[in-house]
Amino acid sequence: MSFCQAQLTRCKPLWDRMLEHRFLRDTRDGTIPDERFAVWMRQDYLFVEAAIPFIAALIPRAPRRHWEPLAGVITALEKELKLFEERAQAVGVDLRGAPPAFANHAYIQFLMATAARASYAEAYTVLYAAEKAYHDSWKVVQAGIARDSKWYPFVENWAGDAFAGYVAYLEGELDALAAEAGEVERTRMAEYFELTTKYEIAFWEMAATGEGWPGT
Amino acid sequence: MSFCQAQLTRCKPLWDRMLEHRFLRDTRDGTIPDERFAVWMRQDYLFVEAAIPFIAALIPRAPRRHWEPLAGVITALEKELKLFEERAQAVGVDLRGAPPAFANHAYIQFLMATAARASYAEAYTVLYAAEKAYHDSWKVVQAGIARDSKWYPFVENWAGDAFAGYVAYLEGELDALAAEAGEVERTRMAEYFELTTKYEIAFWEMAATGEGWPGT
Amino acid sequence: MSFCQAQLTRCKPLWDRMLEHRFLRDTRDGTIPDERFAVWMRQDYLFVEAAIPFIAALIPRAPRRHWEPLAGVITALEKELKLFEERAQAVGVDLRGAPPAFANHAYIQFLMATAARASYAEAYTVLYAAEKAYHDSWKVVQAGIARDSKWYPFVENWAGDAFAGYVAYLEGELDALAAEAGEVERTRMAEYFELTTKYEIAFWEMAATGEGWPGT
Amino acid sequence: MSFCQAQLTRCKPLWDRMLEHRFLRDTRDGTIPDERFAVWMRQDYLFVEAAIPFIAALIPRAPRRHWEPLAGVITALEKELKLFEERAQAVGVDLRGAPPAFANHAYIQFLMATAARASYAEAYTVLYAAEKAYHDSWKVVQAGIARDSKWYPFVENWAGDAFAGYVAYLEGELDALAAEAGEVERTRMAEYFELTTKYEIAFWEMAATGEGWPGT
């Protein structure tokens, strides 16, 4: 089995917990309150922005063949920010001003710390897991959401074919990196896959509860 | 007013919330259940260990006069680990095996991401804030805990004179860094001070609740 | 006087030595042997390629307003590589296969070490100095080279208006960074300006002599 | 054959060129002019100092078992600096004030860039190669230098048993890292070994010629 398939199989209980999250279910069913969705929008806008320096930090450690694709990811993230801004304007949400919630701040630190400290293959595992998680999560939403929902453009973005192709590309590259890694590094890659899944779940949980920082 | 005093004044509500945390109060009053304290021990052991690469990562960005003191901090952290191991053995707690809780993992990521990405003066702000927080927090415990408490060696370590002197040294150095920084950087330093305080509170909250990862 | 103008004034003897380098003069006068120019092409091709991870490494430390411009520099560098490939093909030079000469390898290490270790304003000083050096150097060549020279496309690239505008933008931004820096950081920025000029001269010297690695 | 032995065998021509360098031969034979040796002292003092942040930068990427040994290397480097200061005072050499020569500056950039960008096993290869080079080089000097030479304390430091033990430890650890690395990484490790040897030769060459920066 390929490395990625092995991780998805091994972490299936966690992955399913993510896909069954009430935030996704309520968005799919059209029962999510607007203010709840707006919390997610504001937080994910900050997260997408923060992903840009994460991708940039990968380039100096990446094999030459990955430089242009990674620069392309930065361009795609800038486009995603525009999508948030367009949606926010269309539905009257103010994107700016909200500070990152704890789980969001933590996830961003995890990205940057990983880029600084982990091996390239380990950091690439985090990139793949995060993008795969988003693709699969929005596929869940896509299965039921009304085509005329005001949130549909998000569904289109992450559940659509272009994003599916990008995730498939990442999967192929990560499998190749895993194949050329030694056993010790491959074990750490698997840990990073699981960790990323846990941060993804924490992010949905934060979106669903609107929770800020513990104890404050 | 010096930079550090200005931060402690500005963030006093947050700082007080930290110092009044029930984990500290219960430890001071001797009412904390052993298993609750053991949760903290296991998590803080992981945190102290993780502080070593944080300190090491500061050295390449530090002014020459800070290299030996920072190398000394690494030695001090290694000694702190021994203190945990000695206490764990004395009271029959198994330190190993517990994975980092969410707030702990997040705080560690924050340290490493800051070392990688922030300016040196910003990263040094995090170091000062974290050490000052520990000193002040254990001073709270010191004010009431019994001298023969099995947790007293921790009190002695962080509330004692040697640690007080170290924190005073950090404060002097941070004030000097702040004095030579421009206004933009000083504003970011202030944000890092506040952020570190919020991570400290999240850590005590985690210790008090034993909470793992959100949504899992 | 602005920071950049102050550096150009202070380092004028070094800067003039660079602009008067025989490699530039011989290229301007059309007396440079093809094989000598080919040495430069092969080495500078490697250098331009290596500048991509340098720029990427700046992004995580850059203020938000610099992210898109820096991503744009990566795109511009990819285009420069195509220019080298097009010229190499047109004149029958084999770009690949030559390992980096000592001065080239060293300069690349200087870029990456600076991105990792210096403050953002210091690293941005290196970016400005290197781009300004190239613009001014190729202006020297432009003053005399025949319009139908096979090397003219390089002249057009670095001495042209678009690149001039880019260098002017960098100068404005660097002046702004210098204005908001403290005195200590500004002094280090000045040192980085001078160091970059010395690496530039070492690069032209290597191109002119074809020298590889000392003592081997 | 172990990884390290394979590199020493593969790079034997380069390694021999290093060991046969006239700087080592003249120091061994006692024919080196004092001012020539003083050039080396000033430059190597700067290099040893610069190795401290290199070692520190390795710790965040190192496996846990390497943290204390690497912190120990920092302590050993601080002691080496004291040796330089003691010798300089004894023979009336002024260590401070000389800026790093080109080859020295370049080598330092190579260390820091490698720590930032290469994998841990690759960076550890540079550490081993540099320390092994110093041990073997000073063994050459040891074979002939008079015991009462004023430079003998340097010989004792790097050619002695303690340093031999340290180099043997590094060799064992690097062999272990190589054994657990994949083929692609191991190939890059071999390139780093060769590169380090070339920087070592460039350093001796600089010491022997007193050469500053090319073209200035």
PDB file of all heavy atoms in Angstrom, chain C residues 27-42:
ATOM      1  N   THR C  27      32.914  43.230 -21.763  1.00  0.00           N
ATOM      2  CA  THR C  27      31.605  42.883 -22.338  1.00  0.00           C
ATOM      3  C   THR C  27      31.025  44.110 -23.048  1.00  0.00           C
ATOM      4  O   THR C  27      30.472  44.009 -24.155  1.00  0.00           O
ATOM      5  CB  THR C  27      30.640  42.386 -21.233  1.00  0.00           C
ATOM      6  OG1 THR C  27      31.250  41.293 -20.550  1.00  0.00           O
ATOM      7  CG2 THR C  27      29.306  41.937 -21.823  1.00  0.00           C
ATOM      8  N   ARG C  28      31.178  45.261 -22.426  1.00  0.00           N
ATOM      9  CA  ARG C  28      30.709  46.516 -23.043  1.00  0.00           C
ATOM     10  C   ARG C  28      31.400  46.770 -24.374  1.00  0.00           C
ATOM     11  O   ARG C  28      30.764  47.101 -25.385  1.00  0.00           O
ATOM     12  CB  ARG C  28      31.024  47.687 -22.095  1.00  0.00           C
ATOM     13  CG  ARG C  28      30.624  49.044 -22.643  1.00  0.00           C
ATOM     14  CD  ARG C  28      31.269  50.167 -21.841  1.00  0.00           C
ATOM     15  NE  ARG C  28      32.717  50.155 -22.021  1.00  0.00           N
ATOM     16  CZ  ARG C  28      33.604  50.755 -21.227  1.00  0.00           C
ATOM     17  NH1 ARG C  28      33.193  51.422 -20.148  1.00  0.00           N
ATOM     18  NH2 ARG C  28      34.895  50.684 -21.468  1.00  0.00           N
ATOM     19  N   ASP C  29      32.735  46.528 -24.411  1.00  0.00           N
ATOM     20  CA  ASP C  29      33.511  46.852 -25.606  1.00  0.00           C
ATOM     21  C   ASP C  29      33.462  45.757 -26.671  1.00  0.00           C
ATOM     22  O   ASP C  29      34.063  45.921 -27.738  1.00  0.00           O
ATOM     23  CB  ASP C  29      34.968  47.124 -25.207  1.00  0.00           C
ATOM     24  CG  ASP C  29      35.081  48.317 -24.267  1.00  0.00           C
ATOM     25  OD1 ASP C  29      34.106  49.105 -24.172  1.00  0.00           O
ATOM     26  OD2 ASP C  29      36.135  48.478 -23.622  1.00  0.00           O
ATOM     27  N   GLY C  30      32.781  44.661 -26.341  1.00  0.00           N
ATOM     28  CA  GLY C  30      32.703  43.583 -27.326  1.00  0.00           C
ATOM     29  C   GLY C  30      33.995  42.811 -27.481  1.00  0.00           C
ATOM     30  O   GLY C  30      34.187  42.097 -28.469  1.00  0.00           O
ATOM     31  N   THR C  31      34.901  42.941 -26.521  1.00  0.00           N
ATOM     32  CA  THR C  31      36.187  42.242 -26.637  1.00  0.00           C
ATOM     33  C   THR C  31      36.245  40.987 -25.765  1.00  0.00           C
ATOM     34  O   THR C  31      37.279  40.340 -25.674  1.00  0.00           O
ATOM     35  CB  THR C  31      37.340  43.183 -26.215  1.00  0.00           C
ATOM     36  OG1 THR C  31      37.111  43.599 -24.855  1.00  0.00           O
ATOM     37  CG2 THR C  31      37.399  44.413 -27.113  1.00  0.00           C
ATOM     38  N   ILE C  32      35.150  40.677 -25.108  1.00  0.00           N
ATOM     39  CA  ILE C  32      35.195  39.512 -24.217  1.00  0.00           C
ATOM     40  C   ILE C  32      35.118  38.227 -25.045  1.00  0.00           C
ATOM     41  O   ILE C  32      34.266  38.099 -25.934  1.00  0.00           O
ATOM     42  CB  ILE C  32      34.055  39.579 -23.176  1.00  0.00           C
ATOM     43  CG1 ILE C  32      34.355  38.607 -22.026  1.00  0.00           C
ATOM     44  CG2 ILE C  32      32.683  39.281 -23.794  1.00  0.00           C
ATOM     45  CD1 ILE C  32      33.825  39.084 -20.709  1.00  0.00           C
ATOM     46  N   PRO C  33      36.011  37.292 -24.786  1.00  0.00           N
ATOM     47  CA  PRO C  33      35.957  36.023 -25.531  1.00  0.00           C
ATOM     48  C   PRO C  33      34.673  35.259 -25.185  1.00  0.00           C
ATOM     49  O   PRO C  33      34.221  35.300 -24.033  1.00  0.00           O
ATOM     50  CB  PRO C  33      37.189  35.256 -25.031  1.00  0.00           C
ATOM     51  CG  PRO C  33      38.063  36.274 -24.348  1.00  0.00           C
ATOM     52  CD  PRO C  33      37.152  37.351 -23.848  1.00  0.00           C
ATOM     53  N   ASP C  34      34.147  34.580 -26.165  1.00  0.00           N
ATOM     54  CA  ASP C  34      32.902  33.840 -25.942  1.00  0.00           C
ATOM     55  C   ASP C  34      33.015  32.858 -24.778  1.00  0.00           C
ATOM     56  O   ASP C  34      32.092  32.721 -23.978  1.00  0.00           O
ATOM     57  CB  ASP C  34      32.504  33.068 -27.211  1.00  0.00           C
ATOM     58  CG  ASP C  34      31.813  33.984 -28.211  1.00  0.00           C
ATOM     59  OD1 ASP C  34      31.817  35.229 -27.990  1.00  0.00           O
ATOM     60  OD2 ASP C  34      31.290  33.466 -29.206  1.00  0.00           O
ATOM     61  N   GLU C  35      34.143  32.167 -24.698  1.00  0.00           N
ATOM     62  CA  GLU C  35      34.252  31.147 -23.648  1.00  0.00           C
ATOM     63  C   GLU C  35      34.270  31.802 -22.255  1.00  0.00           C
ATOM     64  O   GLU C  35      33.742  31.259 -21.292  1.00  0.00           O
ATOM     65  CB  GLU C  35      35.474  30.250 -23.852  1.00  0.00           C
ATOM     66  CG  GLU C  35      35.598  29.107 -22.829  1.00  0.00           C
ATOM     67  CD  GLU C  35      34.246  28.450 -22.428  1.00  0.00           C
ATOM     68  OE1 GLU C  35      33.336  28.283 -23.274  1.00  0.00           O
ATOM     69  OE2 GLU C  35      34.083  28.139 -21.234  1.00  0.00           O
ATOM     70  N   ARG C  36      34.831  33.020 -22.181  1.00  0.00           N
ATOM     71  CA  ARG C  36      34.825  33.752 -20.913  1.00  0.00           C
ATOM     72  C   ARG C  36      33.379  34.131 -20.528  1.00  0.00           C
ATOM     73  O   ARG C  36      32.963  33.980 -19.386  1.00  0.00           O
ATOM     74  CB  ARG C  36      35.714  35.009 -21.071  1.00  0.00           C
ATOM     75  CG  ARG C  36      35.793  35.942 -19.927  1.00  0.00           C
ATOM     76  CD  ARG C  36      36.560  35.464 -18.696  1.00  0.00           C
ATOM     77  NE  ARG C  36      37.752  34.695 -18.964  1.00  0.00           N
ATOM     78  CZ  ARG C  36      37.892  33.427 -18.589  1.00  0.00           C
ATOM     79  NH1 ARG C  36      36.946  32.798 -17.919  1.00  0.00           N
ATOM     80  NH2 ARG C  36      38.980  32.771 -18.862  1.00  0.00           N
ATOM     81  N   PHE C  37      32.644  34.615 -21.531  1.00  0.00           N
ATOM     82  CA  PHE C  37      31.257  34.981 -21.239  1.00  0.00           C
ATOM     83  C   PHE C  37      30.436  33.742 -20.866  1.00  0.00           C
ATOM     84  O   PHE C  37      29.563  33.803 -19.998  1.00  0.00           O
ATOM     85  CB  PHE C  37      30.621  35.700 -22.433  1.00  0.00           C
ATOM     86  CG  PHE C  37      29.397  36.477 -22.042  1.00  0.00           C
ATOM     87  CD1 PHE C  37      29.497  37.767 -21.510  1.00  0.00           C
ATOM     88  CD2 PHE C  37      28.119  35.921 -22.168  1.00  0.00           C
ATOM     89  CE1 PHE C  37      28.361  38.480 -21.111  1.00  0.00           C
ATOM     90  CE2 PHE C  37      26.991  36.621 -21.765  1.00  0.00           C
ATOM     91  CZ  PHE C  37      27.108  37.906 -21.247  1.00  0.00           C
ATOM     92  N   ALA C  38      30.764  32.627 -21.506  1.00  0.00           N
ATOM     93  CA  ALA C  38      30.031  31.387 -21.214  1.00  0.00           C
ATOM     94  C   ALA C  38      30.261  30.937 -19.767  1.00  0.00           C
ATOM     95  O   ALA C  38      29.360  30.390 -19.122  1.00  0.00           O
ATOM     96  CB  ALA C  38      30.442  30.284 -22.195  1.00  0.00           C
ATOM     97  N   VAL C  39      31.469  31.170 -19.260  1.00  0.00           N
ATOM     98  CA  VAL C  39      31.748  30.845 -17.857  1.00  0.00           C
ATOM     99  C   VAL C  39      30.793  31.627 -16.960  1.00  0.00           C
ATOM    100  O   VAL C  39      30.170  31.076 -16.049  1.00  0.00           O
ATOM    101  CB  VAL C  39      33.217  31.192 -17.484  1.00  0.00           C
ATOM    102  CG1 VAL C  39      33.398  31.220 -15.957  1.00  0.00           C
ATOM    103  CG2 VAL C  39      34.172  30.202 -18.121  1.00  0.00           C
ATOM    104  N   TRP C  40      30.671  32.913 -17.250  1.00  0.00           N
ATOM    105  CA  TRP C  40      29.755  33.741 -16.466  1.00  0.00           C
ATOM    106  C   TRP C  40      28.322  33.228 -16.577  1.00  0.00           C
ATOM    107  O   TRP C  40      27.607  33.125 -15.573  1.00  0.00           O
ATOM    108  CB  TRP C  40      29.831  35.218 -16.907  1.00  0.00           C
ATOM    109  CG  TRP C  40      28.727  35.999 -16.284  1.00  0.00           C
ATOM    110  CD1 TRP C  40      28.702  36.522 -15.020  1.00  0.00           C
ATOM    111  CD2 TRP C  40      27.439  36.265 -16.858  1.00  0.00           C
ATOM    112  NE1 TRP C  40      27.491  37.110 -14.776  1.00  0.00           N
ATOM    113  CE2 TRP C  40      26.696  36.970 -15.886  1.00  0.00           C
ATOM    114  CE3 TRP C  40      26.847  35.987 -18.095  1.00  0.00           C
ATOM    115  CZ2 TRP C  40      25.385  37.397 -16.116  1.00  0.00           C
ATOM    116  CZ3 TRP C  40      25.549  36.407 -18.326  1.00  0.00           C
ATOM    117  CH2 TRP C  40      24.830  37.103 -17.344  1.00  0.00           C
ATOM    118  N   MET C  41      27.908  32.913 -17.823  1.00  0.00           N
ATOM    119  CA  MET C  41      26.531  32.442 -18.026  1.00  0.00           C
ATOM    120  C   MET C  41      26.230  31.216 -17.173  1.00  0.00           C
ATOM    121  O   MET C  41      25.197  31.138 -16.506  1.00  0.00           O
ATOM    122  CB  MET C  41      26.275  32.092 -19.495  1.00  0.00           C
ATOM    123  CG  MET C  41      25.975  33.290 -20.371  1.00  0.00           C
ATOM    124  SD  MET C  41      25.684  32.779 -22.100  1.00  0.00           S
ATOM    125  CE  MET C  41      24.053  32.014 -21.983  1.00  0.00           C
ATOM    126  N   ARG C  42      27.130  30.250 -17.232  1.00  0.00           N
ATOM    127  CA  ARG C  42      26.891  29.008 -16.461  1.00  0.00           C
ATOM    128  C   ARG C  42      26.810  29.294 -14.970  1.00  0.00           C
ATOM    129  O   ARG C  42      25.981  28.746 -14.256  1.00  0.00           O
ATOM    130  CB  ARG C  42      28.024  28.003 -16.727  1.00  0.00           C
ATOM    131  CG  ARG C  42      27.945  27.343 -18.084  1.00  0.00           C
ATOM    132  CD  ARG C  42      28.998  26.242 -18.240  1.00  0.00           C
ATOM    133  NE  ARG C  42      29.308  26.068 -19.659  1.00  0.00           N
ATOM    134  CZ  ARG C  42      30.375  26.577 -20.269  1.00  0.00           C
ATOM    135  NH1 ARG C  42      31.287  27.251 -19.576  1.00  0.00           N
ATOM    136  NH2 ARG C  42      30.545  26.399 -21.561  1.00  0.00           N
TER     137      ARG C  42
END
